Amino acid sequence: MGTSIRNGVVSPQIWARKRKEKVIELLDYLQPARVEYAENIFAGEKYLTQTGEKTKDYSYIRLMISDGIGKQRKSARYNLDVDTLVALRRQCEPSVNYNRDFHYEEVKKNDRNGQVTNRKVTIHYSYYRTKNGKPLLDKDGNKQIAEYPWYVGINESIGTIDPKNPQKPNYHTNIQAFILLTSMEYQSMLDSACRYIDVFTMTFAPNLVREKRKMIEKERQEYLKKKEQKK
């Protein structure tokens, strides 16, 4: 984990690895829940009970992959929520321990002011090196073990909505970035993220719960006071 200053702003970097011209990072964009939603700890999409009104307040960890240098450098990002990261950490264990293939994909779509952005993250694990879906063999006919068995890639497509056919946007930008990781690097990435999530929880949760209890007690006392006045 490291700290760097980018454009005068301290980077919220949780974890990073570099291989040649490729860089993968996890960046902190976690936010605590509002007091009324203290039990959730993390900010997120909520529905107000009384009116059904939807309120949006996001908390996530950003996965960023960059490739290249200078003007040729391209970057793609994907926002992972807390539950996804915790689940990925748990799901990767059978693959690492028993050499089982693993594949995960998630897609998020965002429409705003006539612009549509599609982002997809792909995570794949294969213990053996493959080509065109078939394992590569060494000179003795044995399957070749992959040095970097984990593939992490992001596909980012940006376009505009055609009013005549809103279901098929016109995409004008497509960015693809990926990196290969060792099993140790991939586990380190998820372990670092989950440790940070735990620290965040321990930092904000106690105060949120205390404030929620104070709020409930205050409302209770006001209710009892009004009830007493009506007698």
Side-chain angles (χ1 to χ4, degrees):
M1 187 174 80
T3 300
S4 61
I5 298 178
R6 304 175 183 177
N7 301 322
V9 179
V10 177
S11 168
Q13 189 182 85
I14 298 171
W15 179 90
R17 286 294 183 276
K18 181 179 180 181
R19 178 157 295 109
K20 296 183 179 180
E21 296 178 357
K22 295 177 182 283
V23 177
I24 181 172
E25 303 173 272
L26 290 181
L27 304 173
D28 169 30
Y29 285 88
L30 296 179
Q31 295 184 52
R34 290 185 293 176
V35 173
E36 57 265 42
Y37 301 119
E39 298 83 358
N40 295 286
I41 310 303
F42 300 96
E45 189 172 276
K46 301 292 186 298
Y47 292 86
L48 302 184
T49 305
Q50 296 86 347
T51 63
E53 178 187 356
K54 183 191 295 185
T55 60
K56 295 183 178 180
D57 193 15
Y58 297 106
S59 183
Y60 55 87
I61 289 179
R62 175 167 291 172
L63 173 68
M64 179 82 75
I65 301 177
S66 302
D67 189 4
I69 57 175
K71 294 182 179 180
Q72 302 301 317
R73 186 178 181 85
K74 60 181 181 180
S75 298
R77 69 181 188 270
Y78 193 89
N79 297 333
L80 296 163
D81 60 39
V82 170
D83 290 340
T84 298
L85 283 162
V86 174
L88 285 172
R89 186 190 194 189
R90 183 174 59 250
Q91 291 169 359
C92 82
E93 293 178 355
S95 298
V96 174
N97 294 334
Y98 304 105
N99 305 329
R100 296 176 181 171
D101 284 357
F102 175 81
H103 190 82
Y104 175 83
E105 285 186 1
E106 184 178 283
V107 178
K108 290 183 179 179
K109 183 178 180 180
N110 181 36
D111 298 338
R112 183 178 297 175
N113 300 325
Q115 179 173 288
V116 59
T117 302
N118 277 346
R119 291 188 175 92
K120 181 174 77 170
V121 62
T122 302
I123 299 173
H124 184 80
Y125 172 86
S126 182
Y127 182 68
Y128 296 106
R129 294 182 62 196
T130 60
K131 185 175 182 180
N132 298 325
K134 296 181 180 180
L136 293 176
L137 306 178
D138 61 21
K139 61 181 180 180
D140 297 321
N142 300 315
K143 294 180 181 179
Q144 297 182 23
I145 297 174
E147 183 179 2
Y148 302 103
W150 288 94
Y151 168 96
V152 183
I154 300 173
N155 184 288
E156 187 174 303
S157 300
I158 302 173
T160 55
I161 297 176
D162 183 354
K164 297 180 180 179
N165 192 358
Q167 300 302 319
K168 292 185 177 182
N170 298 315
Y171 291 103
H172 52 74
T173 302
N174 185 270
I175 301 172
Q176 291 180 311
F178 75 92
I179 193 169
L180 301 178
L181 301 174
T182 66
S183 284
M184 186 64 71
E185 288 173 329
Y186 181 76
Q187 287 181 287
S188 173
M189 178 180 72
L190 294 182
D191 287 346
S192 296
C194 290
R195 275 196 302 268
Y196 188 78
I197 290 168
D198 290 341
V199 170
F200 185 95
T201 302
M202 289 185 288
T203 300
F204 288 98
N207 188 55
L208 279 173
V209 173
R210 282 194 295 268
E211 292 302 313
K212 177 69 175 285
R213 289 184 177 275
K214 288 180 183 178
M215 185 178 72
I216 293 173
E217 182 59 25
K218 181 180 178 182
E219 292 177 350
R220 177 176 174 273
Q221 292 299 327
E222 290 177 351
Y223 168 78
L224 293 175
K225 185 178 179 180
K226 290 179 180 179
K227 186 177 181 180
E228 188 66 26
Q229 290 174 347
K230 289 181 179 180
K231 290 184 178 180

